[in-house]
């Protein structure tokens, strides 16, 4: 196995595997972060408790959980499982630092607005391109 030239962040651009036998086996793939954001936003909009399995264990998931908790939702994470009960939303506020870490916070705005009648989102993070 050889690694390609590293990018600026130190991660290899490519991995080359050379071998004399066929590959076999299974690889578990975590959930898609964009699906996570939209599904959680829908639960917030409806005010319905939600349990998701297979949530990717990435910054986006942790930040969304923290944002929801800050807004008043009851959120529990157990590995790749996320339990979210948004019925308490409206008793808290947006965590500007966590909102600034991820792209997904704006997806929550319509649901928070529907539940509270008013909301003000701090500057969201994510990709700075464009």
């Amino acid at each position: 196995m050889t690694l390609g030239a590293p990018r600026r962040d130190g991660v290899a651009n490519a991995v080359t595997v050379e071998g004399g036998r066929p590959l076999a086996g299974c690889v578990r793939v975590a959930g898609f972060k964009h699906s996570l954001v939209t599904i959680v936003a829908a639960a917030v909009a409806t005010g319905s408790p939600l349990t998701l399995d297979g949530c990717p264990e990435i910054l986006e998931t942790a930040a969304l959980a923290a944002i929801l908790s800050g807004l008043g939702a009851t959120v529990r994470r157990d590995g790749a499982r996320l339990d979210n009960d948004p019925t308490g939303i409206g008793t808290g506020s947006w965590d500007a630092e966590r909102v600034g870490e991820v792209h997904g916070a704006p997806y929550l705005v319509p649901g928070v607005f529907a539940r509270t009648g008013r909301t003000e989102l701090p500057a969201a993070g994510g990709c700075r391109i464009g």
Side-chain angles (χ1 to χ4, degrees):
M1 179 171 79
T2 58
L3 300 178
R7 301 183 312 221
R8 280 187 252 166
D9 60 6
V11 177
N13 280 325
V15 176
T16 303
V17 178
E18 297 176 16
R21 53 190 166 176
L23 296 176
C26 297
V27 175
R28 181 173 168 85
V29 178
F32 183 50
K33 79 176 186 176
H34 297 288
S35 296
L36 169 71
V37 173
T38 54
I39 292 167
V40 168
V44 169
T46 64
S48 300
L50 170 71
T51 297
L52 289 171
D53 289 315
C55 292
E57 294 187 54
I58 57 175
L59 172 66
E60 189 87 11
T61 305
L64 283 173
I67 291 165
L68 290 166
S69 292
L71 290 168
T74 301
V75 181
R76 286 183 299 283
R77 288 192 60 212
D78 183 12
R81 180 185 178 113
L82 176 76
D83 294 305
N84 171 35
D85 182 352
T87 56
I89 285 183
T91 61
S93 60
W94 295 93
D95 179 335
E97 184 176 336
R98 296 315 295 258
V99 169
E101 292 176 342
V102 296
H103 88 284
Y107 289 83
L108 301 173
V109 170
V112 173
F113 180 75
R115 301 189 52 69
T116 63
R118 182 180 189 287
T119 193
E120 198 171 312
L121 178 71
C127 180
R128 300 288 186 229
I129 295 173

